Amino acid sequence: MKHFKKLCMFASAALLLTACSTSKSAEPAKESAPAEIDYSQEIVIYSNSTTDGRGEWLKEKAAEKGFKISYVDISGGELADRLIAEKNNAIADMVFGLNNLEFNRIKDEKLLVKYSPEWANEVDATLGDADGYYHPIVVQPLVLIGNAKADMPNDWTDLTKDSYKGTYGISGLNTGTSKNIFASIVSRYADEKGDLGISDEGWEVAKKYIQNAHTYAQGEDYISALIDDSNPLNYSMMWGSGVLQNQAERGYKFQVMSPKVGVPYVTEQVGILSTSKKEALVKEFVNWFGSAEVQKAWSDDFGSIPANKTALEGAKAEIKEFASSVKSQKLDWEFIGENISSWVEKAELEFVE
């Protein structure tokens, strides 16, 4: 009998312990609090859009919001290469300014973090990455500007005429603006049987376009030359915000060529690098940088066309006017992306004198 009572007591205790254990496991798990962001850490930014005072401006405004940043300005043609080369010994935490073609190269190397910023619903999602690895900041039409008294050509292809030799300037093909304008010209002559997918006519146009041009030396003040009526350099390639910024700084109104086919539009993007150990902090910075308030201020001071629709609504009248004065050229960016490196290599080897 005593053994039976002990057995019952043991069984009751076991049931009680089981019940207690079940009750505890049924309680919902508490979510851990998000890690506190350390604003004392420095965010290292690689960009091709920090020249002409932009980098200093960004550093100052960021500091007012408690962010500590440093930036490295690298040309658009070299920036993606630099990030890929540093993949296993990364320095940068984020990158902005590159277009979709260059960002796709970085994405293919798995160097970007998938992220939706707080302002994602304020921009046209089709301008960015469909998978959410980079997002649009600034829209840049790439144009030809001219001296106020010059007779403007109607299209880039007009520059292949002998009469334009030495009258227009271009940047080296390793720069983003020059590379994309070159691609927008060459890709018009697509021919699957041609060399690198381009017809013989297309390569002849490309050759004359490059050899008729004056290629700028590093640090050359081509804007001063352009507005000097006695200088033979009457025309220059330029990105959209550069047009408006130089007009404001020089007190000069350029002519802007508007071809019937349109001009190439590129969209500057922002992305967070997967190699960064400061992801939470960088996300906060991107939320701030891409906001309507900051992008409007960026636009006001540097003449950019914001991708943020709310910022564009409040932009200066001259920016809205410029944005509506040139239409976007219809381009096969997939075709361009697959071939642009080969096109540039051919041009540099065979056409650049």
Side-chain angles (χ1 to χ4, degrees):
M1 185 70 177
K2 286 181 181 180
H3 291 297
F4 178 74
K5 285 183 178 180
K6 285 182 179 180
L7 185 61
C8 289
M9 289 173 65
F10 179 79
S12 298
L15 287 169
L16 182 60
L17 286 170
T18 302
C20 289
S21 176
T22 303
S23 176
K24 278 188 177 181
S25 64
E27 291 179 5
K30 293 182 179 179
E31 293 184 6
S32 58
E36 188 172 336
I37 297 173
D38 182 1
Y39 286 89
S40 69
Q41 291 182 303
E42 182 179 73
I43 300 172
V44 180
I45 302 170
Y46 280 7
S47 177
N48 62 330
S49 296
T50 51
T51 56
D52 300 322
R54 289 173 175 81
E56 294 89 341
W57 184 97
L58 185 59
K59 191 170 185 176
E60 179 183 340
K61 298 296 182 183
E64 292 173 4
K65 286 294 181 180
F67 296 105
K68 183 180 179 182
I69 72 167
S70 65
Y71 61 90
V72 181
D73 187 80
I74 306 171
S75 76
E78 299 172 3
L79 183 43
D81 290 338
R82 173 85 169 263
L83 287 168
I84 293 168
E86 293 179 353
K87 183 175 182 178
N88 297 319
N89 190 23
I91 298 170
D93 298 297
M94 61 169 280
V95 57
F96 79 88
L98 290 177
N99 60 41
N100 303 53
L101 290 177
E102 299 299 321
F103 257 104
N104 280 337
R105 291 182 59 205
I106 304 170
K107 177 184 173 183
D108 289 343
E109 294 289 331
K110 303 189 184 306
L111 279 170
L112 295 172
V113 172
K114 188 174 183 178
Y115 171 58
S116 179
E118 292 177 352
W119 41 265
N121 63 344
E122 297 177 19
V123 298
D124 181 353
T126 63
L127 295 176
D129 179 44
D131 298 321
Y133 284 93
Y134 56 82
H135 302 272
I137 292 287
V138 169
V139 177
Q140 293 280 21
L142 306 180
V143 298
L144 184 79
I145 59 174
N147 178 286
K149 296 180 181 179
D151 291 326
M152 289 297 288
N154 294 312
D155 200 328
W156 294 99
T157 53
D158 289 347
L159 300 176
T160 61
K161 298 175 183 176
D162 292 342
S163 59
Y164 284 104
K165 188 173 180 62
T167 66
Y168 63 96
I170 65 173
S171 303
L173 291 175
N174 63 324
T175 64
T177 297
S178 190
K179 183 190 295 185
N180 281 287
I181 290 173
F182 179 70
S184 76
I185 297 169
V186 173
S187 62
R188 299 188 201 182
Y189 300 91
D191 181 352
E192 61 182 16
K193 296 180 181 179
D195 185 14
L196 301 177
I198 301 299
S199 68
D200 290 343
E201 180 188 3
W203 286 124
E204 187 61 25
V205 168
K207 178 180 178 180
K208 289 182 178 178
Y209 163 74
I210 290 172
Q211 294 186 350
N212 277 356
H214 164 70
T215 302
Y216 299 127
Q218 187 172 2
E220 182 176 349
D221 185 6
Y222 57 89
I223 296 297
S224 291
L226 189 65
I227 63 181
D228 180 358
D229 294 341
S230 64
N231 195 298
L233 196 66
N234 290 320
Y235 317 100
S236 175
M237 60 169 51
M238 181 62 69
W239 58 98
S241 59
V243 177
L244 295 164
Q245 186 177 3
N246 278 291
Q247 284 188 157
E249 291 177 353
R250 308 278 182 142
Y252 190 88
K253 181 74 170 179
F254 300 109
Q255 295 189 76
V256 179
M257 184 179 73
S258 182
K260 288 183 179 179
V261 297
V263 298
Y265 269 64
V266 296
T267 305
E268 296 181 6
Q269 310 281 346
V270 62
I272 300 171
L273 296 170
S274 59
T275 50
S276 173
K277 295 180 173 59
K278 310 160 194 169
E279 186 177 319
L281 175 62
V282 180
K283 284 181 178 179
E284 284 299 302
F285 179 82
V286 172
N287 285 337
W288 169 79
F289 178 50
S291 67
E293 179 184 2
V294 175
Q295 285 303 301
K296 180 187 179 302
W298 185 265
S299 172
D300 288 345
D301 284 1
F302 300 111
S304 61
I305 302 173
N308 188 303
K309 297 173 186 176
T310 306
L312 182 58
E313 287 174 4
K316 293 179 180 178
E318 57 264 35
I319 291 172
K320 294 179 181 179
E321 180 184 350
F322 175 70
S324 62
S325 69
V326 287
K327 70 176 184 178
S328 177
Q329 180 181 355
K330 186 176 180 180
L331 294 166
D332 185 344
W333 285 111
E334 184 176 353
F335 174 56
I336 291 173
E338 291 171 352
N339 294 282
I340 191 168
S341 295
S342 299
W343 295 342
V344 168
E345 183 179 16
K346 177 181 173 69
E348 289 180 329
L349 290 173
E350 299 180 20
F351 307 151
V352 175
E353 298 176 324

